[in-house]
Amino acid sequence: MTQPKFILHWLSQSRAHRIVWLFEELDLPYELKIYKRTKEYRSPPELIKLHPLGRSPVLEIIEDNKSKYIIESGHIIQYLIEKYDRDGKLVPITDDEKEQVGFYLHFGEGTLQPDLVSLLVNNTAKHKAPWGFKFLASQITNGINKGFYEPHLLTNLDFLESKIKAQHELGSKYFVGHKLSGADLILLFPIYANIFSDPKRVSEMFKASKPIEKIYPHLYQWSQDIIKEPKLIKANESISTYDKEAKL
Ligand SMILES: N[C@@H](CCC(=O)N[C@@H](CS)C(=O)NCC(=O)O)C(=O)O
């Protein structure tokens, strides 16, 4: 099988990070094209020109001089593993484990991430409200967060905590089976980048009675383990050669 050329269209501080990690895990050659966020923290016009949805990651696959663009990180992860994980490094062993990975790929982006993003956006919105409207904006966003996004997010985190706790009790540091899989890759962004990379900020945001890492010790442990994965470290290094300010 001929090897296509891969270009990952990578927006700074984005979910695209997990796809760089995946390329490193699969030892697949790839090129990164970096896009900086606008001052409103949105995609720049060049990324919007590339794909009508204007979000990152976008994976460009070039074969026979033709480019195909695929989007949605869960779909990209599934696509690359199915087609290019020739040694089965990230492929779960049993059918049940395969089904679990499928679940996490959907859950990560379909349920967990939207609640998390809504909460983070609302939290930023109240600080950005015009002078004189900050109090009102804060009352409204707090009401929405407390009534809706926060309980949803906490339920999601309770659920994930119980899953990874059970895995830890079985002697595994990964979400599915005893090896790294698409489940860990998809959860890198919501669990590590959005929460445990800055636990103090998140604890304050929730006005939690104790630090978030004490409320979710197993998720915290998973985060600490995952950031030591050698290929993730390599992905971080690779990204920083393109973008000095890049951080996960
Ligand atoms: N579900 C999509 C979400 C893509 C997405 O929202 N990406 C963010 C970066 S983390 C983005 O491109 N934001 C730019 C914008 O909203 O303008 C995926 O997993 O690929």
Side-chain angles (χ1 to χ4, degrees):
M1 187 168 62
T2 56
Q3 177 85 34
K5 180 176 172 185
F6 297 108
I7 303 178
L8 179 64
H9 297 270
W10 187 93
L11 178 67
S12 53
Q13 297 190 341
S14 77
R15 292 156 167 92
H17 212 104
R18 47 169 72 131
I19 310 299
V20 183
W21 180 20
L22 177 56
F23 274 117
E24 294 293 344
E25 287 292 343
L26 298 180
D27 275 328
L28 278 179
Y30 61 98
E31 203 179 288
L32 279 189
K33 184 150 174 17
I34 303 283
Y35 299 80
K36 298 269 185 186
R37 288 183 183 262
T38 64
K39 64 179 184 339
E40 293 81 24
Y41 209 63
R42 301 292 313 278
S43 293
E46 310 84 85
L47 186 56
I48 297 168
K49 249 186 249 146
L50 185 77
H51 191 283
L53 296 187
R55 306 271 193 101
S56 173
V58 177
L59 178 62
E60 181 174 355
I61 304 165
I62 308 174
E63 245 173 341
D64 303 326
N65 289 323
K66 279 197 215 91
S67 282
K68 163 165 129 176
Y69 298 90
I70 65 169
I71 59 160
E72 282 300 330
S73 31
H75 173 55
I76 296 171
I77 291 173
Q78 189 180 6
Y79 177 92
L80 287 176
I81 293 177
E82 268 176 24
K83 285 191 84 132
Y84 298 102
D85 187 357
R86 293 180 185 120
D87 304 326
K89 186 178 181 193
L90 302 176
V91 179
I93 290 167
T94 67
D95 283 350
D96 179 56
E97 288 169 0
K98 285 184 186 139
E99 185 268 318
Q100 288 179 47
V101 172
F103 157 74
Y104 283 110
L105 291 179
H106 286 280
F107 172 76
E109 279 299 322
T111 297
L112 176 62
Q113 196 71 60
D115 288 334
L116 197 43
V117 170
S118 308
L119 198 61
L120 295 171
V121 167
N122 266 349
N123 210 47
T124 313
K126 67 183 171 206
H127 297 296
K128 289 210 163 164
W131 190 83
F133 287 95
K134 282 199 183 342
F135 177 72
L136 186 61
S138 172
Q139 293 292 96
I140 296 171
T141 52
N142 282 349
I144 300 171
N145 285 349
K146 291 274 166 227
F148 199 74
Y149 299 128
E150 219 178 279
H152 269 182
L153 179 64
L154 295 177
T155 305
N156 292 336
L157 294 179
D158 289 347
F159 170 76
L160 285 177
E161 173 76 5
S162 72
K163 291 285 179 192
I164 194 66
K165 178 171 186 271
Q167 286 293 99
H168 285 159
E169 283 165 2
L170 290 173
S172 170
K173 55 183 181 175
Y174 303 112
F175 265 95
V176 175
H178 286 262
K179 63 199 269 204
L180 186 71
S181 72
D184 303 289
L185 274 100
I186 199 93
L187 292 172
L188 174 73
F189 190 69
I191 300 300
Y192 175 70
N194 290 168
I195 299 181
F196 290 109
S197 68
D198 191 353
K200 194 162 172 276
R201 182 184 66 116
V202 176
S203 306
E204 280 166 12
M205 194 172 89
F206 282 129
K207 298 188 177 49
S209 55
K210 52 184 177 173
I212 191 105
E213 61 273 35
K214 297 265 186 301
I215 305 177
Y216 297 113
H218 290 274
L219 284 176
Y220 178 64
Q221 185 56 53
W222 172 85
S223 300
Q224 296 307 299
D225 290 336
I226 226 67
I227 54 169
K228 291 192 201 103
E229 285 290 326
K231 297 291 185 165
L232 175 56
I233 294 173
K234 193 149 180 267
N236 296 341
E237 286 164 3
S238 156
I239 289 167
S240 62
T241 62
Y242 285 84
D243 181 359
K244 294 269 168 291
E245 294 148 33
K247 80 172 181 62
L248 187 57

